[in-house]
Amino acid sequence: MYRFALAGNPNCGKTTLFNQLTGSRAHVGNWPGVTVDRREGICHVGDTEVTVVDLPGIYSLSPYSEEEVVSRKYLLTEKPDLIINIIDATNFERNMYLTSQLTETGIPVIIALNMMDEIEAAGDKIDIPKLVKKLNTPVVPISAVKNRGVDELMEAAVKTAEDKGGNYFHSVLSDTPVIPIAADIRKITAKYGINISLFSAIKLLENDERIIDSLDLPKEARELIELVIHNSEEELDIEWEIYVADLRYRYIAELSAACIKRAHSPEELTVTDRIDMIVTNKYLAIPVFLGVMLLIFQITFGGFGSFLTDGMDRLVNSVAVEGLRGFLIKCNVADWAVGLVVDGIAAGVGMVLVYLPQILLLFTFLSILEDSGYMARAAFIMDRLLRNFGLSGKSFVPMLMGFGCTVPAVMAARTLENERDRRMTIILTPFMSCGARMPVYAVFAGAFFAAYRGPVVISLYLLGIAVALLSGIILKSTVLKGEAETFIMELPNYRFPSAKTIVLHVWERAKEFIVKAFTILLLASVVIWFLQSFSPALKYVDDNTQSIFAFMGRLLVPVFRPCGFGEWRACVALLTGFVAKEAVVSTLGILYGVGDASSTAAIAGALANGFTPLSAYSYLVFILLYMPCVVAFTTIHKEMNSWKWTFFAVAYQTAAAWLMSFIVFNVGSMLF
Amino acid sequence: MTLDKLKPGEKAVVVSIGGRGPVRRRLIDMGITPQAHVMIKRTAPFGDPLEVNVRGYALSMRKSEASQVTVERVDKYV
């Protein structure tokens, strides 16, 4: 039983390899990010079971972004048996920079030289035996996308891991002044009873503050080390921070020249260059960007999306739910039990499942954007514009992902190095309307704006974006002063998205959604059914206006009357929306769904009793903007790492929601 | 001269990296080190950021970040 860590740069094919190795057997926590920062999966190599840990993609072991901190902490404190370092062979030099640091951790490293299919297609030649000899580290050529060389890689990895007791510290800095000075630093700390690794000593030389703090050295030792560093800098006329990086890159450049023969000169135009001539062109970039966004929303919410939803509606409600009812009645089950199972549980869960195809469609598009390399271009194009709103181009990726699900989107904000930028992005991302809010829009739009379903739903998405941007301006001149700081980002080569990666990604999401529907939503449906069937004195009531729910709802009514939906059913549904936004639909379905009314069309009809078109729209505006669901809430807390900021975020969102729906309802009342 | 002053298509060699702190560190980690060859590919539609080729890949950075990098113009990108 071994533990192997997968480490590599972003865009090096790490996820593809992870999926190839673990397949659908990868278990991804209960919800990504709530309890885990990394994904784990099991794979078998012969008789050996291997746990593969997928670390976030990083460029260096410097601790300047949260992802690097996570990866470094894992490698240094939890010491896996081996590191599989994946290298994009088409981007050898920059990828090797991380490798040069990984081999200094003392953990055995095996290099998976990925994208060999592209190397061959380009006619490039890599002398692998020479590479192995120079690096003193096993190298296995693979193509993760084509699943080539993966078995050989894992066999070699297990062999390396079995070979215990070797010296696994290899440094490209071996013949440079770095090692003797680092040795001096180790001697100093040893004198004070603290033994540090050569890796840490090199990091001290590079003025790595986190390592300095973590070692807890006495003041005298620190001063001695500073003196050694200072004197050697004077003597060699260098600055260590830059010199160490320079030495690494110099070594790598020589290595690359010795082992790789490129068929094309670096000045020749590549496929990526040709695509970028259009996609990031001065005049075409914006039209292309808007076109792509419009296309995605048109397909998801237009004809094709509703075709899928209608099909699912028929399947779930007419076939499954009514079938279940017929079956239960045939079995002579008591009326109240039929009510609980069919009108409570099945209708509540089914109501939400209907929108599964549309949500998956959206995830498929987001996954394609991410995998193809377009997401990075969008960030590049939008950076200047987003700066006006206190955001960075890098905020664009989390915010776009927010249209899928707020949870991974908030986590994606980790790629922003600067804390202010990250906070701003996390506060604003929930304004991007997530997939779970879609069922709510769909039901209301169907009931009140049948002829304008598409435009009404799209207007909500646009409103979310507008509120986010406006909030950016407000926050940037109040609590989060200043401009977004950095935008140093790789623009990866365009690649054809791998079908397997997309299918697995979308399947993961589908699984989460279905699991959520049958666990949280099912439970919520039972609780809702209970709360609306019993009076505060715990007596079964036929008329739900006498129920506990009605009692709770009436307390909230005064708060929301100014917004136009001061009706107890609508108000309590907002409470259940905190469990999961889809639950708003289930709740309203149960509360309005009298008797046999379990199909979406019937619910829509029943809603007309509680809302006018204007108050319905105002209600949707509130649903769009108010605090995200409990899972997103915990993720925000985890990523903010502060209760103060977490509460500020949700309080701000809820206040913005109330204010906007107040404005919509009152301005609307004057106009119509 | 500094990197932000180069026009698209112009090539240069890095001389030094100014400033302090995380931005500088990140530039160094991404391969902007002394003697590295760079070429400006393009500027984004709104005039900022820049796309720079370095060490065989494309890196984007803002003009403000590029202005920390001192370069010397050359004729060839290798």
Side-chain angles (χ1 to χ4, degrees), chain A residues 154-167:
Chain A
M154 291 313 287
E155 279 160 28
V158 169
K159 229 174 98 194
T160 310
E162 276 168 356
D163 180 29
K164 292 234 160 56
N167 171 26

Side-chain angles (χ1 to χ4, degrees), chain A residues 627 646-657:
Chain A
M627 67 187 298
T646 310
F647 283 122
F648 173 77
V650 297
Y652 180 82
Q653 286 149 5
T654 309

Side-chain angles (χ1 to χ4, degrees), chain A residues 440-441 443-444 448-449 460 463 560 563-577 581 583-585 587-589 591-592 607 610-626 657-658 660-662 664-665:
Chain A
V440 191
Y441 308 155
V443 167
F444 277 86
F448 296 100
F449 312 99
L460 288 162
L463 182 70
F560 294 110
C563 304
F565 46 92
E567 201 274 335
W568 71 268
R569 294 178 186 87
C571 293
V572 280
L574 294 176
L575 292 181
T576 57
K581 293 263 170 140
V584 171
V585 174
T587 311
L588 291 175
L591 293 181
Y592 282 107
L607 282 178
F611 292 91
T612 66
L614 182 61
S615 71
Y617 192 77
S618 162
Y619 189 61
L620 291 183
V621 168
F622 192 86
I623 299 273
L624 161 74
L625 301 172
Y626 86 126
W658 190 89
M660 283 310 293
S661 60
F662 177 80
V664 164
F665 181 72

